[in-house]
Structure formats: structure tokens, C-alpha cells
């Protein structure tokens, strides 16, 4: 190895570079003592500091146990200064304990432990030339003795077997999920996609058109109930359907969320004269338009409507759609217009969907076309 | 009858040991050593030397945060129910009673409101996850800017990059587990990103969620990823990372007595163990303090996930912020061709660019080695100013990162500063291309300026602030030489060589293979090193000092420290022969 | 006996006088009128007297007609934009909201009118509201009973609050955020912070759809549903901060900021302490 701090070689090709190094290494500076090493008073003071930090840590632990017992949680929790008492006190006591321990150990190391700097020599990361040669020999011997080099048939069949074996875990993952099929092309607005249970309920209703109902409360909507400027968050009525005998919702749990992720809609009433595109006008009822609530970018639900401009803004990535103009994209990363649902009025005067969306709802995918 | 037991062997080694009074600790140690060679291990490892500098402890923040994550996480697993089966809540939090939700969300509410210390552990777990990833970033930046990733540590750099990636994925999986509105929105977006993949997107989406989004199985799958698979990988990689660190020994700053062949510092036992152990408690304690005082992820206010609900200000945790920013500022490019859709607006920011950025991170040591042609081992760190192109590159990348962060929070910026949301997006689209090159240029020139200042100090000494007037009436500031230690530290680095193409053609006019890449390499090497201020040769140094000695008249009467510089070094000096400045 | 036979006072001598009856009637009228004025509920809504409308119109002409027109019909600019919208049919509720929260009179026209100090007294606001209500039928100012949970059992109250939360999360949080901290709208608009806002104003805002906010008329969200939303917001405010300080209630952005500034900042500070040069002395250690 070259002397002092000079590298082994300089150019990659082993030609040495000018070595007019200006200053030689002065060596490690002389060790200087700390006040706690030479002055017994300073030493005792540091000891007291460290000890009191450890005592503080112990007290913190006791405080933690006390807080655990004293402060209640549950439906009527204790509070301190409008903060949850249990969380606050447990956390503060734990912090005191841990910080006390840590500070004590660090102060001990800094002030009282021997702090002579030690020199340890490095060794090159590479193994020695002898070792390398020995390794090559060993590998050669091993390969030789295995006979694989001389037996191409065995080697090739071994490789083939190993390769096929590696496919097995991949195959085993096939049942992770069903194939998409055409599921993404339909929503629960399409009565033909309903389960038998839902169909059974539908026959009791004696209607052909599915109503648009208010979200959370599930009540159907009459045209006269909405004023110009109203924005309604709505769902298909089957989501609130209840089985007459069991009194249980027909669509619930994770299936309800799956259906909501495509079927959620918004209704907005504007002046019919504000509507720009012919399709939007044709599919509206008296200025009430209905659009999918699911953004065509990556699927967040949208209901930020700027009433004065009827621009609908998605909160996730700020895609903006024009509700008066077929849901056209005005700004932001969404590439496709918001799908519109054709509205009509059923026999009893409630708003209903004429049929399902005419295009897939939600984020784009390869097969969408 | 007393037996003389003094000569009976009490080990089964070659020579009979002298019988000593049995020592309990010694007996245990002996029992263990008989089976494990602990003595050898102790001899080799217990006094391993670690150099001392605050910037070397940043990786420790990550390491100890990981331990905190394991501890708090284990606590949480004792109560968390990773199931998406629906239930109707009837627990302590009144605002959600009667609301249908998944078991995962309900059990998280239970932990937060009915388990003493549950909310604290949840909050500490989340805070330390954020600290874990933030610490990996600062550690990575320190390693990058000081050149600690150079040979032989490239592999450790690669392992570290993988740790960063896994940490981010682990965090995403973790905060999605409670199945609340905010993280569910994040899963929805992830589903959108997956669906945009060409050809296999919908299949991947259905396989991930076990059907259509949200399905009923993604939370249990994320759970096993979060508590078993990724932590296992993290532990293995952290182990490898530490092993390489011990094997290669830690890098150190140049200075008196510190060379490429040694490492100077404190031994593991007892000093370093105490400092590192103490730091563990400090990291743990700071996390506890934050868990006590700062409310994080109040899932009860978000409510259970529902695809028809969303909150304004929906952002992922900070470490996913750049992906969010990229998604927001991306223009809405999509191609519809031959009956298929290519969603560039989702693929580029969500899949392609993150992979490119990550690829750049992993490949950097190899790229730099190719440009510089430097195949030497390096154990001394470079000051950032001495590698201006690399430092400037980091500054530019940090700028890009910061701008994308800001873009990810553009609605928060708009609300708080009363700016137009659309204007922020347009600004960011341009800014990520315009501002980083400016930052690159400024940082690079700044580093080179600092190099020149260093060189001046080395050649001409430091400015004392004393203005001398010569007999002719000229004014000059008196300089005094810096100490030998300081001068040595400034020169203990290697000279840079610009890679030059030997020749593009050989003697017969045949073009050398790889000329094109060689030319690029030469250009990059030129850009990297050409403006660097190399350290002076011995002759140059002599000349500069000699030149200084000529100004005799300016040196008259100054054999004591300049006024105000009496205590320039740390020692309380009362000796005349101690150098004037130690730094 | 002397008590009963004492001489009569001066007042008593006038009891059978000619004006005695008239005085008694006058006293009775004064008493009745005074008691009525003192104890009858003063309600601006019920008191749309012509006088209130008249003074409301005076105030309107001075402070509002420049943008809204002298008859509240709105003012169009030469290039077809609207300076101030028509107030015909906006109702008393809109006026009470806009003027009562200080948004109107608008001083700084921009993408959105900012909330500032209230310019008018409550009486003046009532008068303005009465005047605008007289321009055309519109939503009336809600009474406290519209949005209060009084009269409900504890179980019903809890149910109302929980339902209000679900309605809030479906309809409101997209703009106003899960805690009512507000959010961004296009081109400089914003949904303001609704935490800490009076229940009456929240009700009126839902009812009238101020500025760019959508309407949530009573046919969209019924009065009970609005009441539930307000009750939920109140309960959020009344709740303690279970986990500690909320850092602004805007979610992961402020959490990340604190993680970096407080967490990494303090830990880097601790690292600097651990590795710092400790105090040194030039004294030598006595060899022991």
C-alpha cells in the first residue's frame, strides 16, 4: 500500500500521477483531557447529572404506570386541556423515561467514559491473490468432480427441469382473482346484471325504470323538489332496497361498496338555457343533469361543483369537467369526459335512469377502446 | 480427607487450567464459549472502531426507527383485525355508532378509544414510519454528497436504495390497513394506476383486489405484506447493510492521522455502544413525545372507506408526495388506437417516472465510476464542495423533489395562500424543468467558489483583520498561516483527472470500438472535473509561503496571536508553542 | 279604630271625580302596552313591517345598489359580465348570511369575496333582509328550533349526529374537508373553513348556496338532515382532541411537515450533540 494517504494507483491504467503532495500527515493530535478527567469536582458533577437523568427516567416509568391506571378511556374519556388525558400522560411519561435514559447514556459516554481515540487498520476489501487463486481452483475442482461439464445431457436436462419448476409458484397464483371479463363495462344501473335476489325484489316493485335516490337517506326525488343550483349526491335505488321479510338490505357489505364504486352519481339542476351540448340537453330533465360521480382519471368521487360555472372539480388531482357540455374535460390530468346517465321521469313523477351508462365508468383501462 | 483439587483440569482443552475460585459470570461465559467461540467473536468485534461525526448518525435514526416500528407494530397486531367483513359499530366513539364498516376499521377504532395506550402506540407507529423514511432520505443524501457510495461500497448503496423502496411500500401498505376514507381513496388511486398498465392492467387489478375494487380481500393481503413479507425483507437487507458496514468499516473524514488505510474513532465497547444505545432511546423518546402531543391520522374523523365519499385535501403520506405531484401536473394525454387505450396521463407519472427516478438512484455509483474512471477504493470522505458536479446534481434533484411535493399539495397551497389552483399547476409544469438547472448551475459555482476560498486559505493563510500600512502608504491585510492540521485536512484528497480519449482511430485508421460512448464519457468527465480547484503541489505551496514571507514590514511585531484570536483553538491556552489555530 | 277612621288622603278624594274613570283606562292601557313591549318575543322575521322594509331599502340604496341595482335586479357590465347578481328571490336567509358573516358589502372583487368584519348591526341586517325578502319570495331565516336537537332523547340525538356525519361526509367534505377546514376550488376560489361557524350561518349557506357553492335546498337536504349535519359539526368541536394537537386539521401535508421539522430536526440536533467536541482542558491528568 502506498504511504500516508496516497491511493494505491492513480490512473485506471496504473500509471502514477505526479506526487508532489504538499503537506505530510502530522499524525493524530495529542489527546486532550476533559475537565471531568482531571477535576474531581467536575467528575462528580457529571456523575450527578447522569444519575439524575437515570432517576428521571425511572420516575417517568412510574408515572407511566400511574397514568395507565388513573386515566380512563372509552366513551367518556378523561381530558386535560381538551386533549385526551390517557394519550397525553402516557406519552409524556414514556417520553420522559426514554429521553432520560438516552440523555443519561449519551452524557455518560461524552463526559465520563474513556474517550481515547483508537486507530484500527483497514484491510483491502478484495481477497488476497492467493485466496482468489485458491477459490478458482476449488471451483474448478468442484465443477470437474461434478462431471456436469462433461455431461451436457445431464446439464441441459437439469436446467430445463429447474426452469419449469420455477413456473410452479407463478401458476399457483392464478386464483388470486377472477378474470375481468366485461364486468368493468356495466354498472348496477343495468338491471340485467342483477343477482336473482335483486331481481326478486324488483318484481315486487312492479316498475321498469330504476329511480335515482338521495345518498345516505335513500329517498326518491321529484323534479319539483330541486331548485336551480341544487347538487344532489345520489345512488341507484336498489342500494337501499330492503327485503320485505328479513328486513335486511339486499345489497350490503363489500358488495355495496363494489357497486358504489361505479354507480355513484350526482344530479345538478341548471337553467336549460345554460346547457350547451345537445346530448346533455336530451339526457336531462328540465335542466336536471345526471353524471357519474367517479372521476375518469383514477377513480376518486367528485362532488365539488362550482355552481356559477357548473364546473365540477375532482379533489384528488384537480381534473375539471363541464356539466353543461357532456362532462367535457376542461383542466387537469383526466383524459375522458365524465359519463352521463340519461334521466327520465317515471310514472309517479320521480327521477329515474333510462338505462345504464353507455360507456365504462371510472378510470381508463387497456381494453376500453 | 481434603482433596487437592488445584491440579484437576476443569476444561477439556489441551492443557489443564489452574483451578480458580468459581465465578458465576465466568462459568456462564465459559459454558457458552465452549459451544460458540464467543471469545473469538468478542476479540474481533467488541473493540471495533467507529469514527465520530453527527452526519454518521443519520442512518441510525432509520435503524432505531425501524426497531420502534417493530415494537409498536407488534403491540398493534394484538388487537387489529385485518378483515374486510362488514360490521355495525357500537363502540365508544359516539359519532360512528350504527354506521356500517369493516372489521379492520372497527378494530382500529377499538384500539384508539378502548385500549389504554392504543392510540399512543398507533400514533408512535405512524410517526416513526415517517421518521424512518425521512431518515433514510437524509442518510442517503449524506452518503451521496460525501461520496461514501464509491468502491467498495456500491453494493451497500444498492441495498440502501432497496431499503428505501421497501420502506415506502411498507408505509403505504401500513396506512391503508385501517380501511379509512383517506387511505381507501389512496387505494382507489393505486387501482387506477394498476388498471392503466397496458395489456395486463385489468387482470392485475382483479388479481390484486380479488375481483372488482374494493373487493373483500385486499386488506388481509396488505396485512400479511405489511407484518411478514416486507419486514422480513427489510430485516434481511438491514442485516446485510450492517454486515457490509462492519466488514468495510465506516468511512471517515480526512484529517491528521486519518488515512485511507486506517479508521480512527471510538471503540464499540463501551463508548460507541453507549452513544448508539443512547441514540436509540432518544429516537424512541422523540417518537413518544410526538405521539403524545401531535395527533396523526385521526381515522375517526375520516370515517370508514366508501367509494362515494372523499375529503378535500386528500394526499398520501409525505413519502408518496412526489407521485401525487406528478399525477396532478401531468397533462391529460391518452391515446386511443386500434381498439385499445394507452393512458399516458397515468402511466408516465404513476409508473414510468418513479421507476426511472429509482433506477437513477440505484445506478448512480456505477454511472459515476464510468464517467470518472476511478477504480480505487475510497475510505476517506469528500467534502461536498470538492465534488461540485455531484453536489449540484443532488441539489437539483432535491429541488425537483421539493417542487413535486409542493405540486402534490397544490390545493393546500391554494387555500392557505389564496392562490389560483390552476395557476399553481401550470407553474409547476414549467418549474420542474426550469428551476432545477438553475439550482444546478448556482450550486456548482458556489462549490467551486468555496474551493477557491479554501485554496486561498491554504496558500495565503487566514485573514487576521489587521490592516497594516506600509512605508509607501499601501494598505494590506495581514494573513497568518493556518495550522498544520488544518492545512493537512485541506490537502488530504486526491487530484481529479479528466478522462481523455487516447485516440479515436488506431494507426491504420480503424475506428476504435465504443468511440461514441467514450466521447460522451470524456465530455461528462470534462464537465465534472474541469472547473475543480486542485490542491496545490508542494512547490506551489512553498512559493506561496515564500511570497508571504517577503512582506517583512507587514510582519513586524506580530509573534503573538492577533487581537481577538487568542482563544481560537479549543484549549485554554497558556503555552506559546501551541499553534495559533486548530481549524 | 283610629286606623279605620283616619282622615282620607288627597288621592282618595279624587276617586269619585269626573276624570277618574279616564285615568284608570289610560293607566290600564299604559300598563298593558308596556308589559307587552317588554315581554313579547322580538322576532325580526315576524316583524316585516313596512317600516322595516323602508329603512332596509334606505340602507340598501346606500350600501348595496351600486352592484346590485337600485331595485336589486342586478347590474350587468358593458361587456356582458355580471357586476352584482340579481337579488330577486334570494330571500332573507341569503342576506342574513352574506351581510351577517361580513362577506357583503364586497370590497375586493376577485375570484371570491372574502369574509371580513361585519359592517352592519344586527338590526340593520334584519332590515336589509326584510327589504330583499320583499323583492321576491325566497328562503327565510331559519329559527333556532330548525337546527337544534332539543326535544330529542339521548338515543335519538346520538342517531342524528351519526347520520349527520354520514351526510356530511357524502355531501360536504369534498369541498370543506373532513374537519371543516376548507378546501380549494378552481381559479382562486375556495370553500371556506366551517369549523367554529355559527349554526345559523351554516344552515343559511346550505339553503342559499352563496357565491359558487351549490344549493342544498330543503328539497335536496331536508331541514332535519341539515340539522343533523350541524349537530355533527358541533359534536366535532365539542370533542376533545384525543390524540393531541391537530396541526391545522388538513391531513398528511401538515403531518409530513411536522415529521420533518420537529422529528428529523430534533433528532439531527441530538446527533450534533452526541458527536460534538466536548469541553477540553490543557491540564494533565494526575497519574493515579
Amino acid at each position: 500500500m502506498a504511504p500516508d494517504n496516497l491511493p494505491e494507483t492513480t490512473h485506471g491504467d496504473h500509471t502514477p500521477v505526479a506526487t508532489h503532495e504538499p503537506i505530510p500527515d502530522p499524525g493524530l493530535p495529542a489527546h486532550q483531557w476533559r475537565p471531568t478527567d482531571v477535576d474531581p469536582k467536575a467528575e462528580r458533577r457529571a456523575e450527578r447529572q447522569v444519575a439524575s437523568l437515570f432517576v428521571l427516567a425511572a420516575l417517568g416509568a412510574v408515572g407511566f404506570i400511574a397514568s395507565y391506571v388513573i386515566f380512563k378511556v372509552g366513551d367518556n374519556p378523561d381530558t386535560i386541556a381538551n386533549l385526551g388525558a390517557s394519550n397525553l400522560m402516557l406519552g409524556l411519561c414514556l417520553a420522559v423515561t426514554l429521553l432520560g435514559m438516552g440523555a443519561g447514556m449519551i452524557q455518560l459516554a461524552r463526559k465520563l467514559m474513556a474517550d481515547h481515540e483508537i486507530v484500527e487498520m483497514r484491510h483491502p476489501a478484495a481477497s488476497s491473490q492467493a485466496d482468489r487463486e485458491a477459490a478458482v481452483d476449488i471451483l474448478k475442482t468442484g465443477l470437474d468432480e461434478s462431471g456436469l461439464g462433461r455431461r451436457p445431457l445431464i446439464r441441459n436436462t437439469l436446467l430445463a427441469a429447474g426452469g419449469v419448476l420455477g413456473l410452479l409458484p407463478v401458476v399457483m397464483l392464478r386464483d388470486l382473482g377472477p378474470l375481468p371479463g366485461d364486468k368493468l363495462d356495466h354498472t348496477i344501473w343495468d338491471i340485467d346484471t342483477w343477482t336473482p335476489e335483486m331481481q326478486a325484489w324488483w318484481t315486487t316493485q312492479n316498475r321498469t325504470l330504476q329511480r335515482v335516490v338521495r345518498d345516505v337517506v335513500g329517498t326518491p326525488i321529484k323534479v319539483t323538489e330541486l331548485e336551480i343550483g341544487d347538487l344532489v349526491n345520489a345512488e341507484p335505488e336498489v342500494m337501499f332496497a330492503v327485503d320485505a321479510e328479513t328486513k335486511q338490505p339486499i345489497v350490503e357489505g363489500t358488495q355495496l361498496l363494489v357497486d358504489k364504486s361505479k354507480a355513484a352519481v350526482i344530479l345538478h339542476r341548471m337553467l336549460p338555457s345554460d346547457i350547451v351540448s345537445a346530448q346533455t340537453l336530451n339526457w336531462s330533465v328540465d335542466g336536471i343533469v345526471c353524471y357519474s360521480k367517479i372521476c375518469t382519471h383514477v377513480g376518486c368521487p367528485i362532488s365539488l361543483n362550482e355552481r356559477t360555472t357548473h364546473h365540477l372539480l375532482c379533489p384528488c388531482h384537480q381534473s375539471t369537467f363541464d356539466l353543461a357540455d357532456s362532462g367535457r374535460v376542461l383542466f387537469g390530468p383526466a383524459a375522458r369526459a365524465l359519463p352521463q346517465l340519461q334521466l327520465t321521469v317515471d310514472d309517479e313523477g320521480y327521477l329515474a335512469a333510462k338505462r345504464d351508462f353507455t360507456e365504462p365508468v371510472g378510470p381508463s383501462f387497456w381494453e376500453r377502446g | 480427607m481434603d482433596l487437592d483439587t488445584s491440579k484437576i483440569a476443569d476444561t477439556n482443552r489441551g492443557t489443564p487450567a489452574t483451578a480458580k475460585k468459581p465465578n458465576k459470570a465466568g462459568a456462564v461465559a465459559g459454558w457458552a464459549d465452549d459451544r460458540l467461540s464467543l471469545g473469538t467473536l468478542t476479540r474481533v468485534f467488541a473493540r471495533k472502531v467507529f469514527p465520530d461525526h453527527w452526519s454518521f448518525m443519520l442512518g441510525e435514526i432509520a435503524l432505531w426507527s425501524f426497531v420502534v416500528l417493530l415494537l409498536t407494530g407488534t403491540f398493534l397486531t394484538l388487537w387489529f383485525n385485518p378483515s374486510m367483513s362488514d360490521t355495525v359499530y357500537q363502540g365508544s366513539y359516539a359519532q360512528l355508532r350504527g354506521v356500517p364498516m369493516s372489521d379492520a376499521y372497527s378494530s382500529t377504532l377499538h384500539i384508539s378509544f378502548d385500549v389504554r395506550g392504543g392510540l399512543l402506540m398507533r400514533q408512535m407507529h405512524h410517526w416513526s414510519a415517517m421518521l424512518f423514511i425521512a431518515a433514510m432520505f437524509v442518510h442517503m443524501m449524506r452518503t451521496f454528497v460525501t461520496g461514501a457510495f464509491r468502491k467498495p461500497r456500491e453494493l451497500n448503496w444498492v441495498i440502501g436504495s432497496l431499503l428505501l423502496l421497501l420502506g415506502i411500500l411498507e408505509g403505504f401498505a401500513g396506512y391503508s390497513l385501517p380501511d379509512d376514507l383517506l387511505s381507501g381513496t389512496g387505494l382507489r388511486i393505486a387501482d387506477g394506476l394498476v388498471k392503466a398498465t397496458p395489456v395486463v392492467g385489468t387482470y392485475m387489478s382483479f388479481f390484486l383486489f380479488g375481483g372488482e375494487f374494493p373487493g373483500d380481500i385486499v386488506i388481509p393481503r396488505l396485512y400479511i405484506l405489511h407484518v411478514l413479507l416486507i419486514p422480513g425483507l427489510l430485516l434481511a437487507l438491514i442485516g446485510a447493510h450492517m454486515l457490509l458496514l462492519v466488514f468495510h468499516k465506516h468511512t471517515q473524514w480526512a484529517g491528521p492521522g486519518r488515512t485511507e488505510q486506517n479508521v480512527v474513532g471510538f471503540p464499540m465497547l463501551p463508548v460507541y455502544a453507549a452513544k448508539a444505545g443512547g441514540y436509540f432511546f432518544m429516537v424512541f423518546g422523540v417518537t413518544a413525545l410526538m405521539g403524545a402531543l401531535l395527533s396523526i391520522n385521526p381515522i375517526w374523523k375520516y370515517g370508514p372507506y366508501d367509494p362515494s365519499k372523499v375529503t378535500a385535501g386528500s394526499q398520501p403520506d409525505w413519502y408518496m408526495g412526489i407521485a401525487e405531484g406528478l399525477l396532478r401536473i401531468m397533462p391529460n394525454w391518452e391515446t386511443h388506437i386500434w381498439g385499445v387505450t394507452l393512458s399516458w396521463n397515468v402511466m408516465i407519472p404513476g409508473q414510468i417516472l418513479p421507476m426511472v427516478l429509482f433506477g437513477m438512484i440505484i445506478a448512480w455509483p456505477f454511472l459515476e465510476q464510468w464517467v470518472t474512471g476511478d477504480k480505487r477504493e475510497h475510505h476517506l470522505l469528500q467534502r461536498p464542495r470538492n465534488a461540485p458536479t455531484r453536489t449540484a446534481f443532488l441539489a437539483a434533484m432535491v429541488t425537483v423533489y421539493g417542487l413535486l411535493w409542493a405540486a402534490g399539495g397544490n390545493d393546500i397551497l391554494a387555500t392557505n395562500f389564496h392562490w389560483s389552483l390552476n395557476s399553481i399547476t401550470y407553474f409547476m409544469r414549467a418549474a420542474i424543468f426550469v428551476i432545477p438547472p438553475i439550482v444546478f448551475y448556482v450550486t456548482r459555482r458556489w462549490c467551486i467558489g468555496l474551493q477557491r476560498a479554501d485554496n486561498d486559505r491554504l496558500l495565503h493563510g487566514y485573514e487576521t483583520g489587521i490592516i497594516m500600512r506600509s512605508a509607501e502608504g499601501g494598505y494590506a491585510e495581514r494573513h497568518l498561516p493556518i495550522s498544520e492540521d488544518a492545512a493537512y485536512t485541506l490537502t488530504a484528497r486526491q487530484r481529479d483527472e479528466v478522462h481523455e480519449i487516447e485516440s479515436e482511430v488506431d494507426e491504420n485508421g480503424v475506428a476504435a470500438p465504443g468511440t461514441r460512448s467514450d466521447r460522451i464519457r470524456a465530455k461528462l468527465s470534462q464537465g465534472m472535473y474541469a472547473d475543480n480547484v486542485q490542491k496545490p503541489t508542494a512547490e506551489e505551496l512553498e512559493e506561496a509561503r515564500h511570497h508571504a514571507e517577503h512582506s517583512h514590514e507587514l510582519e513586524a511585531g506580530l509573534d503573538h496571536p492577533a487581537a481577538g484570536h487568542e482563544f481560537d483553538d479549543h484549549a485554554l491556552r497558556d503555552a506559546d508553542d501551541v499553534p495559533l489555530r486548530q481549524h | 279604630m283610629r286606623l279605620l277612621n283616619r282622615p282620607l288622603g288627597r288621592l282618595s278624594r279624587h276617586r269619585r271625580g269626573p276624570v277618574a274613570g279616564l285615568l284608570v283606562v289610560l293607566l290600564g292601557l299604559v300598563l298593558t302596552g308596556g308589559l307587552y313591549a317588554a315581554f313579547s318575543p322580538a322576532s325580526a322575521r315576524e316583524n316585516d313591517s313596512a317600516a322595516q322594509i323602508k329603512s332596509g331599502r334606505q340602507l340598501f340604496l346606500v350600501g348595496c345598489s351600486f352592484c346590485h341595482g337600485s331595485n336589486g335586479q342586478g347590474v350587468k357590465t358593458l361587456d356582458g359580465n355580471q357586476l352584482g347578481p340579481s337579488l330577486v328571490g334570494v330571500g332573507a336567509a341569503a342576506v342574513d348570511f352574506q351581510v351577517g358573516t361580513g362577506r357583503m358589502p364586497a370590497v375586493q372583487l376577485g375570484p371570491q369575496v372574502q369574509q371580513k368584519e361585519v359592517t352592519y348591526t344586527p338590526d340593520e341586517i334584519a332590515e336589509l333582509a326584510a327589504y330583499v325578502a320583499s323583492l321576491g319570495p325566497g328562503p327565510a331565516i331559519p329559527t333556532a328550533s330548525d337546527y337544534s336537537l332539543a326535544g330529542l332523547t339521548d338515543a335519538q340525538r346520538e342517531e342524528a349526529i351519526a347520520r349527520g356525519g354520514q351526510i356530511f361526509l357524502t355531501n360536504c367534505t369534498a369541498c370543506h374537508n373532513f374537519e371543516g377546514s376548507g378546501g380549494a376550488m378552481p381559479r382562486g376560489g375556495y370553500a371556506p373553513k366551517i369549523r367554529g361557524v355559527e349554526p345559523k350561518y351554516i344552515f343559511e349557506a346550505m339553503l342559499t348556496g352563496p357565491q359558487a357553492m351549490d344549493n342544498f335546498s330543503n328539497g335536496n337536504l331536508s331541514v332535519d338532515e341539515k340539522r343533523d349535519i350541524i349537530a355533527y359539526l358541533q359534536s366535532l368541536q365539542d370533542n376533545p382532541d384525543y390524540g393531541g394537537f391537530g396541526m391545522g386539521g388538513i391531513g398528511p401535508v401538515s403531518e409530513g411537515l411536522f415529521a420533518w421539522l420537529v422529528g428529523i430536526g430534533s433528532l439531527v440536533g441530538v446527533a450534533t450533540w452526541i458527536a460534538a467536541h466536548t469541553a477540553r482542558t490543557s491540564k494533565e491528568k494526575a497519574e493515579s
Side-chain angles (χ1 to χ4, degrees), chain B residues 180-328:
Chain B
D180 57 286
L181 183 60
L182 188 62
S183 63
T185 309
L187 273 178
R188 179 93 221 221
I189 295 172
D191 180 48
L193 295 182
V194 168
K195 281 199 168 93
T197 316
V199 185
V200 294
T202 47
Y203 294 88
M204 279 168 64
S205 164
F206 272 63
F207 276 30
L208 180 62
F209 290 93
E212 284 192 80
F213 179 88
D216 59 359
I217 201 151
V218 73
I219 301 284
R221 286 179 179 170
L222 285 175
Y223 183 69
I224 206 64
L225 215 62
H226 183 77
V227 306
L228 180 68
L229 298 174
I230 300 188
L233 279 172
L234 281 169
L235 271 169
L237 286 174
I238 291 178
H241 201 70
M242 299 283 103
L243 207 66
L244 281 174
L245 163 68
V246 169
F247 175 62
H248 289 144
K249 301 200 204 320
H250 203 283
T251 50
Q252 64 185 352
W253 289 106
R258 291 159 162 81
T259 70
E260 291 273 13
Q261 283 78 39
N262 69 9
V263 60
V264 176
F266 295 115
M268 169 67 101
L269 202 67
V271 178
Y272 202 73
K275 287 190 173 181
Y279 205 32
F280 163 64
F281 284 106
M282 298 300 275
V283 169
F284 207 165
V286 166
T287 314
L289 204 58
M290 292 174 82
L293 293 172
L294 301 172
S295 170
I296 185 172
N297 203 22
I299 49 134
W300 53 92
K301 292 188 194 166
Y302 299 139
Y305 178 60
D306 183 322
S308 65
K309 299 187 171 81
V310 73
T311 171
S314 280
Q315 265 94 6
D317 272 7
W318 73 264
Y319 41 86
M320 315 272 293
I322 58 159
E324 179 74 5
L326 282 169
L327 270 175
R328 288 184 187 209

Side-chain angles (χ1 to χ4, degrees), chain C residues 17-262:
Chain C
V19 288
L22 192 61
L23 279 172
V24 167
V25 169
L26 268 175
L27 183 64
L29 283 172
V30 166
L31 268 175
T32 316
L35 284 171
Y36 179 80
F39 289 106
S40 73
S43 167
R45 245 176 4 120
E46 288 159 356
N47 218 350
D48 336 57
S49 61
Q52 222 187 13
I53 295 176
K54 189 146 169 272
S55 32
R57 178 175 157 80
Q58 294 307 316
L59 290 167
F60 185 87
L61 286 173
V62 169
C64 320
S65 59
F66 182 81
C67 294
H68 288 292
S70 46
N71 291 312
Q73 76 280 19
V75 172
K76 268 199 144 59
T77 60
L78 281 176
D79 50 2
N81 287 323
Q82 193 86 27
L83 190 57
S86 161
L87 297 181
V88 177
V90 298
V95 177
D96 189 51
F97 174 78
Q98 297 280 8
V99 187
T101 59
R103 287 173 165 86
M104 290 290 147
V107 282
Q108 199 182 9
L109 295 180
Q112 187 151 332
V113 178
Q114 305 274 353
Q115 192 176 1
K116 56 197 181 304
E117 268 200 48
V118 181
T119 322
Y120 294 98
T121 67
D123 283 337
E124 288 171 336
I125 297 176
E127 289 164 8
L128 279 168
Y131 171 66
V132 171
S134 74
L135 295 175
I141 299 175
T143 59
S145 58
D146 283 337
Y147 48 82
S148 104
L149 290 178
L152 292 180
T153 65
D154 278 344
Q156 284 173 326
R157 195 182 298 248
E158 194 178 275
E159 218 187 289
I161 290 177
R163 187 173 51 236
Q166 295 306 298
I167 301 173
F168 180 69
L169 285 164
T170 307
N171 289 283
C172 320
T173 56
C175 287
H176 287 284
N177 155 297
F178 65 94
E179 246 194 317
S181 302
M185 292 297 285
R187 287 172 297 272
Y190 60 94
K193 186 165 146 187
I194 56 180
R195 209 167 49 240
V197 174
E198 262 184 61
K200 181 175 71 145
Y201 293 134
I202 299 181
F203 196 106
E204 287 169 348
M206 285 192 272
L207 197 56
T208 63
Q211 297 216 58
M213 176 169 167
D214 294 302
N215 283 2
F216 291 91
S217 66
N218 290 336
N220 179 358
L221 285 177
S222 71
V223 176
D224 277 350
E225 287 164 35
K226 292 194 177 68
R227 173 201 69 188
D228 293 345
I229 293 176
I230 291 170
Y232 175 74
L233 282 169
Q234 284 294 105
S235 76
L236 276 187
Q237 272 167 253
D238 294 336
N239 269 0
D241 291 321
Y242 293 108
F245 300 106
M247 301 178 294
I250 50 174
V253 171
S254 48
E255 289 168 7
L257 207 64
F258 271 76
W260 273 92
L261 293 179
V262 173

